[in-house]
Amino acid sequence: MEVYIQLSSGKGPKECDFFLTHVLGIFQREALAKQIHVIVINEDKSGSGLIQSVVCKLTGAEIDIFLQAWKGSLLWICESPFRRFHKRKNWFIALFVITKEKEIILLEKDILYQVMRSSGAGGQHVNKVSSAVRALHMPTGITAVAMDTRSQLQNKKLAKERLAHKLMQLQNESAQQDVDKQWQNHAEIERGNPTRVFKGIDFKS
C-alpha cells in the first residue's frame, strides 16, 4: 500500500513550524513501529531552518488505520519557546492525505488504431489511399491523428507519438493540480477539534 501525506503549519507563526519539525520525527518513529516506511518527498523550510510543510510517501500495510490517529488538525499546548510572556499557548498544524493520480503508462494493448482516408493537400494519391491513422487510448478516451505521409505504417508511428505527448500533458496537468492542492492545504488549517494533542516542550501526548 502506498499513501502520500502532507504535514503543514499553514500560515502559523514560528511556534507552529517548531511544532511541525518535532512532530515529524514522532510521526516517523510511530510509523516505523507499525512497520510503515516514511520517505520525505518534499520539504519547505523557513528562514530559520524550521519545517513549514513536508510531503511524505508512506508504504506498508494498514496505513489507513495508522493515519486515523494523525489525520486532521494537531494541537501543541506549550508556552512559546521564542517569545517570553506571550499569552498564546495553543499551536496548530495539520496532516492531510494527498490523493495522487496514477501514472499513465502507454501500452500497445491499450491503443486502438483506426485507418481512414487522408484529407487535405497531398495530391490525388493521398485521397485515394486509406493511409491516415487515428490512435485511440481506450482507458482515457484521448485520440491523436496522423496523415502526414503516404505510408500507413509511418502515420501509425506518428499517431502513437502524438498520443504519448497528449498523455504526458495530461499527467503534467494532474501533477500541477497536486501542487495546487498542497498549497491550498498549507493555507487552510482548522484551529480546533484536534485529532491529537501534544503538551509541553517534550511533546508528550
Side-chain angles (χ1 to χ4, degrees), residues 14-26:
K14 188 176 182 180
E15 289 83 357
C16 295
D17 301 341
F18 183 77
F19 176 25
L20 192 157
T21 302
H22 284 78
V23 156
L24 176 60
I26 297 171

Side-chain angles (χ1 to χ4, degrees), residues 13-59:
K14 188 176 182 180
E15 289 83 357
C16 295
D17 301 341
F18 183 77
F19 176 25
L20 192 157
T21 302
H22 284 78
V23 156
L24 176 60
I26 297 171
F27 179 82
Q28 290 171 315
R29 289 192 294 273
E30 290 191 4
L32 186 60
K34 298 291 185 180
Q35 297 184 326
I36 296 171
H37 189 45
V38 180
I39 301 173
V40 174
I41 302 297
N42 184 56
E43 214 174 57
D44 292 321
K45 292 185 176 181
S46 65
S48 58
L50 297 172
I51 301 172
Q52 295 177 312
S53 175
V54 61
V55 175
C56 301
K57 181 173 76 172
L58 278 57
T59 54

Side-chain angles (χ1 to χ4, degrees), residues 177-204:
Q177 288 173 1
D178 287 340
V179 172
D180 293 343
K181 180 61 178 175
Q182 289 170 34
W183 277 109
Q184 183 181 346
N185 289 342
H186 193 55
E188 299 176 0
I189 290 181
E190 181 184 359
R191 267 102 181 151
N193 192 28
T195 302
R196 193 159 174 181
V197 178
F198 300 83
K199 296 180 180 180
I201 199 66
D202 52 357
F203 297 93
K204 295 293 184 182

Side-chain angles (χ1 to χ4, degrees), residues 31-171:
L32 186 60
K34 298 291 185 180
Q35 297 184 326
I36 296 171
H37 189 45
V38 180
I39 301 173
V40 174
I41 302 297
N42 184 56
E43 214 174 57
D44 292 321
K45 292 185 176 181
S46 65
S48 58
L50 297 172
I51 301 172
Q52 295 177 312
S53 175
V54 61
V55 175
C56 301
K57 181 173 76 172
L58 278 57
T59 54
E62 299 183 341
I63 295 175
D64 290 340
I65 296 174
F66 171 71
L67 288 177
Q68 286 177 7
W70 283 94
K71 190 167 57 175
S73 62
L74 309 173
L75 169 62
W76 176 41
I77 302 174
C78 185
E79 293 182 355
S80 171
F82 307 109
R83 294 180 283 179
R84 195 178 180 187
F85 305 123
H86 189 66
K87 292 182 179 180
R88 181 177 169 183
K89 294 183 179 179
N90 292 345
W91 315 99
F92 285 94
I93 62 173
L95 186 146
F96 304 93
V97 175
I98 301 173
T99 302
K100 286 269 186 182
E101 294 291 334
K102 290 184 178 179
E103 182 181 358
I104 301 173
I105 300 174
L106 184 58
L107 301 174
E108 193 67 33
K109 66 180 181 66
D110 291 333
I111 304 173
L112 176 64
Y113 295 101
Q114 298 171 313
V115 178
M116 56 187 185
R117 285 189 182 276
S118 296
S119 61
Q124 292 183 349
H125 175 75
V126 175
N127 292 325
K128 291 178 180 179
V129 179
S130 298
S131 59
V133 177
R134 177 189 288 115
L136 167 66
H137 185 242
M138 292 183 286
T140 61
I142 293 175
T143 62
V145 175
M147 55 180 69
D148 302 51
T149 73
R150 296 178 179 182
S151 167
Q152 187 183 116
L153 188 63
Q154 188 65 24
N155 283 336
K156 181 179 179 181
K157 180 181 178 182
L158 287 170
K160 183 178 179 181
E161 289 174 356
R162 290 169 184 171
L163 188 61
H165 180 69
K166 285 188 175 183
L167 291 174
M168 185 181 296
Q169 286 182 316
L170 180 65
Q171 198 76 49

